[in-house]
Amino acid sequence: MKNGQLYLIKVGEIALKGLNRDFFEKRLKGNIKAKLRPYQSYINTQKGRLFLEVEEACPPAVVEKALSTSFGVVGFSKCLKVEKTDEAIREAARLLMQEEPFNSGEGTFKADSRRADKSFHLTSYQLDCLLAEEVHRIHPALTVDVHHPQMTIFCEIRDKAYLYSSPKSGLGGLPVSTAGRGMLLLSGGIDSPVAGYQMAQRGLRMECIYFHAYPYTSDEALEKVITLASLIAPYLQGTRLHVVPFTEAQLHIKAQARPEETTLMFRAAMMQVSNMLAEKSEALALVTGEALSQVASQTVEGLAFSDSFSDLLVLRPLVGLDKGQIIETARRIGTYETSILPYEDCCTIFSPKHPVTRPHKAETREHYEALEMHPFLVEAVANTKTYDFTPLGVLLET
Ligand code: ATP
Ligand code: MG
């Protein structure tokens, strides 16, 4: 590629050892390239590193977003690739001095060289000295601090010499789609987007399901969930949001169920619909944002009751976290501000004053069976609308 931009990407050593390495790398490459479309990109692999070349026309902010939201990337940096000669390396070092953070010309630095090619004629130490000399030639005021430098110039000798500074950190984790498929029950709250993020971190590919009880839940509530889906989509490597019209089912439950059991009945119905949608999408797990004891329905008995309506594994990555920890993650991943917008979700509006918190499973299941929900659920699935989001989180027009 002529005049392409080059990035060095660090990938997790542990993941490379622990999993089938080719499989892992292939997914990661595919995921990154999908985020950079329609720009041309090319990724080549070298021990513990990926080198990404992207066409010049691609804005650096797009590359950064792609790399900083892709699980499996531990760190990355724009980098220069030159011949393995002293003069070429010196020249590249001088070029790096024109850019952040070195261009300020002040502060402390160190040079950090390593040789994958041991036949190179300088040792790492000699190479460090050569780089430091060039740094001082351009910025005489910079001082060396090998223990706590404010900036570092890196040089790696491989098939070529690669120079870079100030790598940015990535998310770590495992590339999405290395761990099968799941369905995320995405409400408008704080928890479920975080739950999706956590499972994507372990490589699960996910579609999202939202139960919408219009007009009891407003258009704004749906807009909010669409926004949340687009915010988490880059971490999920793109997703599909299924919006299930749930009004009829909820009204039926509200009219027929014991008032104190309505929430449990809603949850049973949600699990069944989620299983039906999962089957269509060939997903093998459900993911929810439930945490033990956070609300009335999230007791051990309540969760076990919900589980009994799912043939699929139910993953609850937040189960042992407290709200403060969940909020911290929500802020970091950028969903918090949207989650706290004041549009109620369906469970809030339909929730009873004195819910049963410790249901007797067999008995409560019988009460649910008596509601004969099946036709309502089939109807809801048939009328489900879908929204698709690109790997960078853009909602596609349908
Ligand atoms: P959240 O903050 O994620 O809304 P919550 O603390 O408000 O969670 P609940 O409302 O009891 O707790 O919901 C528990 C979980 O059930 C949610 O995290 C989500 O996974 C799922 N859920 C609840 N309501 C809906 C909905 N309307 N559509 C899809 N999933 C839902
Ligand atoms: Mg909620």
Side-chain angles (χ1 to χ4, degrees):
M1 194 179 293
K2 260 191 190 163
N3 296 327
Q5 319 169 50
L6 185 66
Y7 287 80
L8 173 148
I9 301 169
K10 298 183 185 182
V11 294
E13 298 283 333
I14 297 164
L16 286 175
K17 281 189 201 119
L19 289 178
N20 181 318
R21 181 178 166 152
D22 279 351
F23 171 67
F24 170 94
E25 279 184 359
K26 222 171 139 186
R27 273 294 173 217
L28 182 55
K29 285 184 185 178
N31 288 353
I32 294 170
K33 284 167 72 88
K35 281 182 177 163
L36 294 173
R37 244 168 252 145
Y39 299 104
Q40 259 189 53
S41 65
Y42 175 79
I43 301 180
N44 102 55
T45 316
Q46 293 190 25
K47 267 193 194 158
R49 299 273 186 269
L50 300 181
F51 288 95
L52 163 69
E53 233 181 310
V54 200
E55 69 175 292
E56 195 64 34
C58 180
V62 172
V63 184
E64 256 186 48
K65 169 125 193 198
L67 296 178
S68 63
T69 57
S70 291
F71 287 110
V73 172
V74 167
F76 62 93
S77 183
K78 217 175 161 184
C79 106
L80 296 169
K81 172 180 168 181
V82 298
E83 294 301 325
K84 290 188 277 190
T85 64
D86 293 5
E87 197 32 56
I89 292 170
R90 285 180 191 276
E91 193 188 326
R94 290 197 292 272
L95 277 174
L96 283 181
M97 291 305 106
Q98 316 300 330
E99 293 183 17
E100 282 188 9
F102 281 92
N103 59 359
S104 76
E106 288 172 6
T108 60
F109 81 99
K110 83 167 182 180
D112 185 337
S113 310
R114 65 185 71 176
R115 301 181 308 161
D117 169 13
K118 301 288 184 205
S119 72
F120 188 65
H121 78 105
L122 297 176
T123 64
S124 304
Y125 177 72
Q126 290 170 325
L127 197 48
D128 286 346
C129 295
L130 176 148
L131 292 168
E133 208 178 290
E134 271 334 293
V135 172
H136 276 138
R137 204 190 299 274
I138 308 287
H139 297 305
L142 288 177
T143 56
V144 173
D145 178 346
V146 290
H147 299 297
H148 304 288
Q150 290 166 317
M151 43 203 149
T152 303
I153 175 166
F154 294 92
C155 179
E156 297 186 10
I157 305 293
R158 299 169 172 274
D159 59 327
K160 303 273 178 181
Y162 296 86
L163 285 91
Y164 58 99
S165 66
S166 55
K168 299 201 164 64
S169 15
L171 297 172
L174 304 173
V176 166
S177 291
T178 55
R181 285 164 172 271
M183 305 298 274
L184 169 66
L185 278 72
L186 182 66
S187 69
I190 295 168
D191 304 330
S192 41
V194 174
Y197 173 87
Q198 293 299 162
M199 292 321 302
Q201 177 171 10
R202 302 307 302 162
L204 192 69
R205 171 150 194 84
M206 277 167 283
E207 296 180 9
C208 306
I209 302 175
Y210 170 59
F211 294 92
H212 190 40
Y214 187 81
Y216 301 95
T217 47
S218 58
D219 283 335
E220 285 89 345
L222 173 60
E223 283 303 319
K224 180 177 160 180
V225 172
I226 290 173
T227 304
L228 286 172
S230 80
L231 288 173
I232 60 170
Y235 303 114
L236 270 54
Q237 189 63 36
T239 191
R240 166 170 287 178
L241 171 66
H242 301 260
V243 176
V244 183
F246 216 41
T247 316
E248 296 305 318
Q250 288 205 288
L251 288 174
H252 178 71
I253 290 172
K254 182 91 180 151
Q256 302 290 324
R258 291 165 173 74
E260 66 280 11
E261 285 182 351
T262 47
T263 307
L264 290 164
M265 301 295 123
F266 292 155
R267 299 210 65 86
M270 287 206 272
M271 291 312 255
Q272 290 192 316
V273 170
S274 299
N275 272 258
M276 290 154 86
L277 290 172
E279 191 177 340
K280 284 197 188 180
S281 294
E282 297 180 22
L284 298 179
L286 304 181
V287 178
T288 80
E290 290 161 308
L292 190 61
S293 306
Q294 201 192 78
V295 294
S297 63
Q298 294 169 13
T299 58
V300 168
E301 292 86 347
L303 299 178
F305 174 76
S306 299
D307 269 3
S308 75
F309 289 91
S310 179
D311 294 328
L312 302 174
L313 175 66
V314 183
L315 296 168
R316 298 183 172 93
L318 312 183
V319 75
L321 300 184
D322 62 46
K323 198 76 184 187
Q325 292 172 299
I326 298 168
I327 288 175
E328 209 179 291
T329 307
R331 284 190 196 279
R332 181 164 55 81
I333 68 174
T335 54
Y336 182 74
E337 296 303 327
T338 303
S339 288
I340 60 172
L341 293 173
Y343 308 112
E344 299 191 273
D345 68 43
C346 56
C347 298
T348 329
I349 285 171
F350 285 95
S351 55
K353 284 214 175 61
H354 303 289
V356 174
T357 54
R358 304 180 61 193
H360 182 277
K361 199 197 278 180
E363 205 174 278
T364 318
R365 280 186 63 97
E366 271 176 32
H367 298 166
Y368 181 77
E369 299 307 335
L371 296 175
E372 298 186 338
M373 292 305 295
H374 192 69
F376 293 95
L377 307 187
V378 170
E379 184 74 9
V381 169
N383 292 304
T384 292
K385 266 189 73 175
T386 60
Y387 298 80
D388 288 314
F389 299 84
T390 68
L392 277 184
V394 179
L395 173 61
L396 292 172
E397 299 292 331
T398 39

